[in-house]
Amino acid sequence: MIKNASLGDKIFVICNYTFLALLMVITLYPFLNTLAYSLNAGLDSLKGDIYLWPRLFSIENYKFVFKEATILHATLISVLRTIIGTVITVFCSAMVAYTLSRQDYVLRKFITIAFILTMYFYGGLIPVFLLMRDLHLVGSFWVYIFPGVIGVFNLIVIRSFIEGLPESIMESGRIDGAGDFRTFFNIVLPLCLPVLATVALFTAVYQWNSWFDVFLYNSSDINLSTLQYELMKILQNSNVSSATMESGFANSGGTTSMVTPLSIRATMTIVASVPMIIIYPFLQRYFVKGMTVGGVKG
């Protein structure tokens, strides 16, 4: 194809591929650099000048991370809040979106405006904390789930997708005697798989990366700490002195196996990122289709 193309088209294709290659390198380099630091010996990492490949290969950083009971338990809490939070949020958002997409619903405009206003006005940290306390959610796992059950952005995306579905499909279901619940579960949900996968990806990333709610509501309870919160605490303690480093981060195998805050930060960043990187390829095709159809009605 490019052989028969004009000189201008060939130059455009070459420039296009060159730009995309540079963009790929710029995008991948931070992750590959962090991976290299995580697989490099801790003390050797302090010398710097590590780019895409570890200079002194070592898995001591990962051994140190996974031998900590708090890290493993925090990972379990992160996995649970991601799975439970994503399922509940997607299901509840889909139900509300279907209700607001019905033209015959009397309070449709009023409730839509009420939801949109919450995107522009926020009560503040203290009122929200007092509300969570009065609801007896402080010190509970469910404080990670209930406050974000309905996301307004997700709601708008799903509603736009449902409004783009052929009305004849809904009418045929009602002619066959299907009520709203049967129409929602048997007709709307199967047709909304692309947009639901898109919203699920948004929600899962948010739940997995969230740490501030842990800091606000459950910072004193180690049993409810998440992986991201543990990572945040390590990042805060990154400017540790060499004496503290030796006493707190040294293993029993000698100086060559010693880990450092720099190497541990890199290791925990990789550990926290890998699950989302694994999940994304399986949802990518739904993500693209869901955003395209959900963002443009019809």
Side-chain angles (χ1 to χ4, degrees), residues 41-96:
L43 288 180
D44 184 72
S45 299
L46 296 177
K47 301 176 183 178
D49 296 331
I50 297 176
Y51 301 105
L52 297 178
W53 193 256
R55 182 169 49 234
L56 187 60
F57 183 83
S58 173
I59 60 172
E60 292 298 324
N61 299 318
Y62 288 92
K63 287 182 179 179
F64 176 83
V65 168
F66 286 108
K67 80 174 183 179
E68 294 293 324
T70 56
I71 298 299
L72 293 177
H73 187 76
T75 303
L76 176 62
I77 296 297
S78 291
V79 171
L80 288 176
R81 72 170 291 179
T82 300
I83 295 175
I84 297 174
T86 300
V87 172
I88 293 179
T89 297
V90 171
F91 179 74
C92 293
S93 297
M95 289 191 68
V96 177

Side-chain angles (χ1 to χ4, degrees), residues 169-276:
I169 298 179
M170 313 289 184
E171 292 294 338
S172 63
R174 281 190 280 270
I175 291 174
D176 291 337
D180 286 325
F181 281 100
R182 188 173 181 182
T183 300
F184 174 73
F185 285 105
N186 294 351
I187 299 177
V188 175
L189 277 185
L191 294 176
C192 287
L193 285 181
V195 72
L196 294 182
T198 302
V199 172
L201 181 61
F202 287 157
T203 307
V205 171
Y206 165 77
Q207 289 285 4
W208 180 259
N209 290 331
S210 181
W211 63 266
F212 192 62
D213 49 2
V214 186
F215 172 72
L216 286 179
Y217 308 120
N218 294 326
S219 58
S220 60
D221 191 347
I222 192 64
N223 293 322
L224 294 175
S225 181
T226 62
L227 180 62
Q228 298 296 342
Y229 183 62
E230 294 300 317
L231 173 61
M232 185 275 300
K233 290 194 294 186
I234 290 179
L235 292 176
Q236 283 188 336
N237 297 327
S238 60
N239 295 323
V240 67
S241 64
S242 59
T244 305
M245 195 189 315
E246 292 178 2
S247 61
F249 292 94
N251 293 324
S252 59
T255 57
T256 57
S257 63
M258 182 184 295
V259 297
T260 62
L262 177 63
S263 61
I264 291 301
R265 290 205 313 271
T267 304
M268 292 200 65
T269 301
I270 296 298
V271 171
S273 303
V274 164
M276 291 298 105

